[in-house]
Amino acid sequence: MKKMKLWALAAIFMCCSMACVNNGKSVAPITREESDKAFMAEIEKSPEFYAAMNKYLAESIGSQYAPGELCIPCPTVVACDQWTTDSVVDSVVVLGDFWVFNFNVVGDTLKTVSGGDHPGKMCLKKNEKGEFEVISFEQVEDGSNFLPSAKRIFGDMYEAFHSINSDQEAREQVRAIFIAKYVKDNKLSVKYYQDYGWPAKQIAVNN
């Protein structure tokens, strides 16, 4: 049995800056805090799924960059196909925009060392232990091959991918969420993260 699920993250972020219309009346846009909570709710629905993606991104992609003391993946899932056996999901194909960042801890601040974007298609499957693991990753190509390879990989979801990939504000919002989650999960005593040449930003960790 095959089940399709689409992540409407682009719509969530767009509602932060656009008013919605309901029965002819304007409705106030959701706040940044509300959109962050909606995104976290999506992540918390599938913790093993995200853990497998992040493990792969840190070990196979983050390791290709200049090393830091820690690596924080920041994946945005555009859509996924879920294959189920007796209502149990045993394999997933993910279309996403996958960022990774390496950091050093300097005082109370995470200093960005390196990182980059690797959009594409991930295939995950449960192993003998019943844990998800990435078994293949087809990446969008660089340079002049970016557009044709992106359209081929994302297919009907290309416009959704383009909307997410080209929205720097939404991308930074996703990054802030994953940094805060990493800091909280690993009980790090840091308060800020900072890219080279830019002001430090506060990490919003909710207890």
Side-chain angles (χ1 to χ4, degrees), residues 38-55:
F39 189 18
M40 281 304 303
E42 288 293 341
I43 296 171
E44 290 169 358
K45 286 179 183 178
S46 309
E48 294 181 356
F49 167 67
Y50 273 93
M53 288 197 302
N54 287 349
K55 182 175 185 292

Side-chain angles (χ1 to χ4, degrees), residues 78-109:
V78 178
C80 75
D81 285 337
Q82 298 181 354
W83 278 264
T84 64
T85 303
D86 296 330
S87 298
V88 176
V89 177
D90 53 18
S91 63
V92 183
V93 175
V94 182
L95 297 176
D97 196 19
F98 305 106
W99 283 82
V100 291
F101 296 94
N102 291 327
F103 296 93
N104 283 334
V105 180
V106 181
D108 62 357
T109 304

